[in-house]
């Protein structure tokens, strides 16, 4: 078994300097591993730090201490101490992150939005287009929309475009933050099969799923999270 | 895709394009640039954000050879891998660098364009400065760049003052990129433009940066522009860098009180 993610004693606290310097811990001494071909689900109430942990795994949030190793090009690299340049390379080649929100860029077509991560790896346009089209078709985005910028799409359509973008590269590690939230049953099933295919090809997956049925269906293992601050308050 | 592949090889080069050490240019205490260090790598876009008077523009002027700093060092790695200390090389060497390897995009197009000569002549000027004399070549290059910038080629003989603000800005960019610079300095390139015009320009800049593998130092007070274009951010206040790092990390999880204030002050439409 290959360890793909190794989290050791991770601490993350938020300090709001402009709101009276309020400071509260969200993650305290979190440790776990995720292996290749494994889907791990983060469990916990709203506010327990699931998204914070996932964002930290993408180096979008900056933990105060601890280590956060991901296997990149065969080597375990600590994201807490990596340089921005290293992180960008790791994201491009190793880390996929899918949330339910698409960041729309004016004037960029849906097809281009989906192709972009693959293009950034130097893959030729034709191959990128084929793979992107396949995903858009699977996710039931009508072909008439492919050449439009997704800014005017419905929430569900934007979400599916974002999922296509997240799955266009076969990332060794996938981080999923409620990718199926507010999708209808058919589209939800498509996303589940994409996740299962990724697991079968050996991706290590960390996910947050609101739906209990989905959690049962996908989780090889669960990691319970309790935010110390919220516990104290309760 | 050769371009992206090229950009990636460039990226693999283990050497920064620009090394800035302890740069200082102070007009008064806390006014100007007060000890700034950073490195810029090939293909990297570095955004500099901060309030008016934080020293962003002074820093850009020092970096681009327009304003001699009080102290500090700026080392640029030339095309042949040669190390050039920007304020130790001769004036003529620096001018050559500014005309070929570097580009400067000013906030106001009239600061970067020659308003009294045609659009074509504006684009051709840098080429002529490095020895291109063939009229046909100059003209066809001019037309190619107008097309690239989505300006009607029929306007090639018109004066820039007859262009709209957005067109002038695109013309200024074409004028800079014609010599295939490796490093471009941009000072609020989208400031003062309508949002629709801004979107078009941003989309264009975004593609150019990727396709040409450009390194860019981008000064902006618009955090959305910074997020869209830059890989890395430096947050400045009172002439000092208070925080720097990955763009999305600084915007989504700012650590310094001033960065937090800056991010939380933005209205989202």
């Amino acid at each position: 078994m290959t360890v793909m993610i190794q989290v050791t004693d991770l601490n993350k606290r938020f300090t709001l300097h402009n709101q009276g310097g309020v400071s509260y811990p969200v993650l305290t001494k979190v440790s776990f591993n995720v292996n290749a071909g494994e889907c791990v689900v983060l469990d916990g109430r709203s506010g327990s730090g699931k998204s914070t942990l996932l964002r930290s795994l993408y180096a979008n949030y900056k933990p105060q201490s601890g280590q956060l190793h991901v296997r990149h090009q065969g080597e375990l690299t600590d994201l807490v101490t990596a340089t921005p340049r290293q992180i960008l390379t790791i994201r491009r080649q190793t880390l996929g992150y899918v949330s339910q929100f698409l960041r729309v860029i004016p004037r960029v077509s849906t097809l281009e939005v989906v192709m972009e991560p693959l293009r950034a790896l130097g893959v030729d346009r034709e191959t990128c287009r084929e793979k992107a089209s396949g995903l858009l078709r699977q996710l039931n985005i009508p072909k008439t929309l492919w050449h439009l910028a997704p800014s005017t799409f419905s929430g569900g359509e934007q979400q599916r475009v974002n999922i296509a973008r997240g799955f266009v590269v076969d990332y060794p590690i996938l981080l999923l933050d409620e990718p199926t939230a507010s999708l209808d049953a058919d589209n939800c099933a498509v996303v589940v099969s994409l996740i299962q295919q990724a697991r079968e090809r050996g991706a290590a997956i960390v996910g947050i799923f609101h739906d209990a049925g989905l959690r049962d269906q996908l989780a090889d293992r669960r990691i319970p999270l309790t935010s110390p601050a919220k516990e104290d308050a309760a | 895709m050769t371009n992206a592949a090229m950009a990636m090889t460039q990226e693999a080069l283990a050497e920064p394009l620009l090394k800035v050490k302890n740069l200082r240019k102070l007009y008064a205490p806390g006014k100007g640039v007060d000890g700034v260090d950073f490195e810029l790598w090939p293909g990297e876009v570095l955004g500099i954000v901060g309030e008016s008077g934080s020293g962003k523009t002074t820093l850009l002027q020092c970096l681009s050879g327009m304003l001699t700093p009080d102290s500090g060092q700026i080392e640029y790695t030339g095309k042949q891998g040669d190390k050039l200390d920007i304020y130790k090389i001769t004036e003529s060497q620096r001018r050559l660098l500014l005309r070929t390897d570097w580009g400067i995009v000013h906030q106001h197009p009239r600061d970067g364009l020659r308003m009294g000569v045609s659009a074509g002549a504006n684009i051709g000027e840098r080429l002529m400065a490095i020895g291109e004399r063939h009229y046909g070549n100059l003209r066809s290059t001019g037309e190619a760049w107008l097309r690239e910038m989505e300006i009607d080629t029929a306007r090639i003989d018109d004066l820039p003052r007859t262009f709209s603000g957005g067109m002038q800005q695109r013309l200024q960019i074409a004028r800079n990129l014609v010599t295939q610079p490796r490093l471009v300095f941009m000072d609020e390139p989208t400031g003062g433009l309508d949002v629709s015009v801004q979107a078009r320009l941003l989309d264009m800049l975004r593609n150019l940066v990727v396709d040409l593998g450009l390194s860019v130092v981008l000064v902006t007070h618009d955090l959305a522009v910074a997020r869209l274009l830059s890989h890395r951010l430096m947050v400045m206040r009172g002439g000092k860098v208070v925080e720097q790092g990955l763009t999305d990390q600084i915007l989504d999880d700012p650590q310094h009180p001033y960065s937090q204030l800056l991010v939380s002050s933005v209205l989202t439409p």
Side-chain angles (χ1 to χ4, degrees):
Chain A
M1 271 194 301
T2 317
V3 177
M4 296 300 288
I5 300 173
Q6 195 177 64
V7 179
T8 320
D9 288 338
L10 195 71
N11 291 301
K12 171 66 191 162
R13 132 191 310 276
F14 289 97
T15 305
L16 309 175
H17 293 287
N18 300 300
Q19 292 176 51
V22 178
S23 177
Y24 56 93
V26 176
L27 303 172
T28 308
K29 288 201 144 213
V30 173
S31 302
F32 65 92
N33 286 355
V34 184
N35 295 316
E38 193 178 28
C39 180
V40 165
V41 169
L42 304 180
D43 257 344
R45 282 182 297 174
S46 173
S48 60
K50 303 186 294 290
S51 288
T52 298
L53 177 55
L54 212 60
R55 282 170 176 262
S56 302
L57 281 168
Y58 196 58
N60 177 235
Y61 281 1
K62 196 186 177 83
Q64 273 71 36
S65 64
Q67 284 144 36
L68 225 165
H69 285 96
V70 297
R71 188 169 299 280
H72 170 67
Q73 304 286 316
E75 306 257 345
L76 285 175
T77 309
D78 186 4
L79 290 177
V80 178
T81 52
T83 64
R85 250 163 59 82
Q86 285 173 315
I87 291 169
L88 289 174
T89 309
I90 292 172
R91 282 183 182 174
R92 198 162 49 233
Q93 299 174 352
T94 302
L95 285 178
Y97 178 86
V98 184
S99 74
Q100 47 180 312
F101 304 108
L102 177 69
R103 194 171 280 283
V104 183
I105 301 169
R107 295 213 330 154
V108 181
S109 78
T110 297
L111 198 59
E112 291 288 338
V113 167
V114 177
M115 284 165 62
E116 197 187 18
L118 201 54
R119 277 196 68 198
L121 290 175
V123 176
D124 67 278
R125 282 192 74 86
E126 207 34 59
T127 313
C128 294
R129 184 174 296 132
E130 264 171 44
K131 184 131 193 219
S133 312
L135 280 162
L136 287 171
R137 211 172 286 125
Q138 254 183 296
L139 287 157
N140 302 308
I141 303 288
K143 204 170 177 179
T144 44
L145 298 183
W146 294 3
H147 294 282
L148 305 177
S151 33
T152 55
F153 292 9
S154 74
E157 281 165 345
Q158 289 194 2
Q159 191 184 341
R160 280 177 280 144
V161 170
N162 204 34
I163 291 166
R165 181 179 157 93
F167 280 89
V168 77
V169 172
D170 289 333
Y171 295 107
I173 297 173
L174 272 176
L175 310 170
L176 310 172
D177 193 349
E178 302 242 25
T180 56
S182 76
L183 286 187
D184 61 35
D186 287 350
N187 284 310
C188 195
V190 174
V191 178
V192 168
S193 84
L194 285 173
I195 296 170
Q196 283 166 339
Q197 283 164 27
R199 178 169 52 185
E200 273 154 37
R201 67 167 167 78
I205 300 164
V206 183
I208 301 170
F209 302 99
H210 185 69
D211 184 274
L214 217 57
R215 282 205 295 269
D216 295 338
Q217 198 181 346
L218 289 168
D220 292 319
R221 203 147 50 84
R222 289 154 187 263
I223 293 170
L225 288 176
T226 44
S227 171
K230 303 279 157 57
E231 291 298 303
D232 288 350
Chain B
M1 217 56 267
T2 42
N3 286 324
M6 237 166 61
M8 283 173 67
T9 354
Q10 270 194 345
E11 194 178 296
L13 294 177
E15 216 173 10
L17 198 61
L18 205 60
K19 267 193 209 171
V20 177
K21 283 181 210 144
N22 203 15
L23 197 71
R24 188 165 270 119
K25 173 76 195 174
L26 284 176
Y27 300 106
K31 284 285 162 217
V33 174
D34 192 2
V36 168
D37 298 86
F38 72 92
E39 290 179 346
L40 180 74
W41 294 75
E44 191 175 50
V45 180
L46 173 69
I48 302 175
V49 296
E51 63 201 354
S52 315
S54 60
K56 304 184 301 264
T57 299
T58 305
L59 176 60
L60 198 74
Q61 287 175 334
C62 288
L63 293 176
S64 56
M66 295 187 286
L67 184 68
T68 310
D70 300 336
S71 63
Q73 196 195 4
I74 303 168
E75 187 186 88
Y76 174 70
T77 308
K79 270 191 178 124
Q80 273 75 42
D82 41 332
K83 303 270 182 283
L84 304 168
D85 185 331
I86 295 311
Y87 287 99
K88 290 225 172 87
I89 56 177
T90 64
E91 182 63 32
S92 68
Q93 275 178 303
R94 192 157 56 234
R95 267 208 309 273
L96 181 68
L97 207 57
L98 274 166
R99 275 203 304 251
T100 56
D101 237 18
W102 291 8
I104 301 178
V105 176
H106 300 266
Q107 175 176 5
H108 302 292
R110 45 190 73 238
D111 294 335
L113 290 172
R114 274 184 203 281
M115 301 306 279
V117 302
S118 71
N122 263 287
I123 296 177
E125 187 180 335
R126 276 167 67 112
L127 288 175
M128 287 175 69
I130 55 167
E132 177 64 73
R133 288 290 178 269
H134 188 280
Y135 177 75
N137 289 349
L138 286 169
R139 185 133 183 121
S140 61
T141 310
E143 284 176 348
W145 272 103
L146 287 180
R147 265 194 298 275
E148 178 80 17
M149 291 289 128
E150 302 179 18
I151 299 172
D152 184 357
T153 52
R155 304 292 304 270
I156 193 165
D157 295 317
D158 294 349
L159 295 179
R161 84 165 69 93
T162 66
F163 286 14
S164 69
M167 282 166 74
Q168 287 181 0
Q169 196 55 302
R170 281 178 273 143
L171 183 64
Q172 191 193 181
I173 290 165
R175 174 181 156 91
N176 274 284
L177 295 185
V178 67
T179 53
Q180 300 175 327
R182 298 157 73 217
L183 174 58
V184 180
F185 300 96
M186 298 186 187
D187 190 3
E188 305 276 7
T190 58
L193 297 176
D194 286 345
V195 277
S196 60
V197 176
Q198 217 184 66
R200 185 181 195 179
L201 188 69
L202 281 173
D203 179 36
M204 223 171 243
L205 286 175
R206 206 174 132 263
N207 286 321
L208 285 169
V209 164
V210 176
D211 292 345
L212 306 175
L214 290 179
S215 300
V216 179
V217 180
L218 168 76
V219 164
T220 181
H221 67 268
D222 187 329
L223 298 181
V225 169
R227 189 192 282 271
L228 184 65
L229 293 178
S230 55
H231 300 114
R232 238 174 356 113
L233 273 191
M234 285 198 329
V235 182
M236 285 190 75
R237 187 183 208 191
K240 291 187 193 305
V241 176
V242 296
E243 186 171 356
Q244 58 175 317
L246 212 55
T247 299
D248 62 87
Q249 188 245 298
I250 292 203
L251 295 179
D252 295 339
D253 187 19
Q255 309 290 312
H256 190 276
Y258 177 64
S259 319
Q260 290 188 355
L261 182 68
L262 203 63
V263 170
S264 66
S265 304
V266 178
L267 292 173
T268 34

